[in-house]
Amino acid sequence: MILDNRGLEPPQPMMRTLAALAKLNQGETLTIINDRRPMFLYEQLDELGYRHETFAREDGSFEIRITKG
């Protein structure tokens, strides 16, 4: 599943992401695309036990792959 959060003002990207993550089953992955690195989201993901990887995209946005652990 891909969630495109580009063009949204904080805290909308984080709220949308957390809502989508709540629907995932163990081992499933959500990919989000954000205009900036979601620094506050990383803290939440770590606390909730999600694994995540961040990739810079050519257009200046960031792709974050989040797996429910």
Side-chain angles (χ1 to χ4, degrees), residues 9-26:
E9 291 296 319
Q12 289 180 328
M14 185 168 168
M15 301 303 291
R16 289 181 72 207
T17 300
L18 291 173
L21 288 172
K23 298 175 185 175
L24 289 184
N25 294 316
Q26 287 291 107

Side-chain angles (χ1 to χ4, degrees), residues 5-66:
N5 290 323
R6 291 176 288 185
L8 300 176
E9 291 296 319
Q12 289 180 328
M14 185 168 168
M15 301 303 291
R16 289 181 72 207
T17 300
L18 291 173
L21 288 172
K23 298 175 185 175
L24 289 184
N25 294 316
Q26 287 291 107
E28 290 185 326
T29 298
L30 171 69
T31 299
I32 63 170
I33 303 170
N34 284 15
D35 291 320
R36 57 187 73 81
R37 287 184 185 270
M39 301 311 291
F40 295 113
L41 177 63
Y42 293 141
E43 295 172 19
Q44 289 285 323
L45 296 175
D46 290 340
E47 287 178 16
L48 295 169
Y50 290 92
R51 294 187 315 269
H52 53 88
E53 296 178 280
T54 301
F55 306 92
R57 295 168 49 110
E58 288 183 19
D59 65 359
S61 64
F62 292 89
E63 179 177 317
I64 301 93
R65 294 184 196 146
I66 306 164

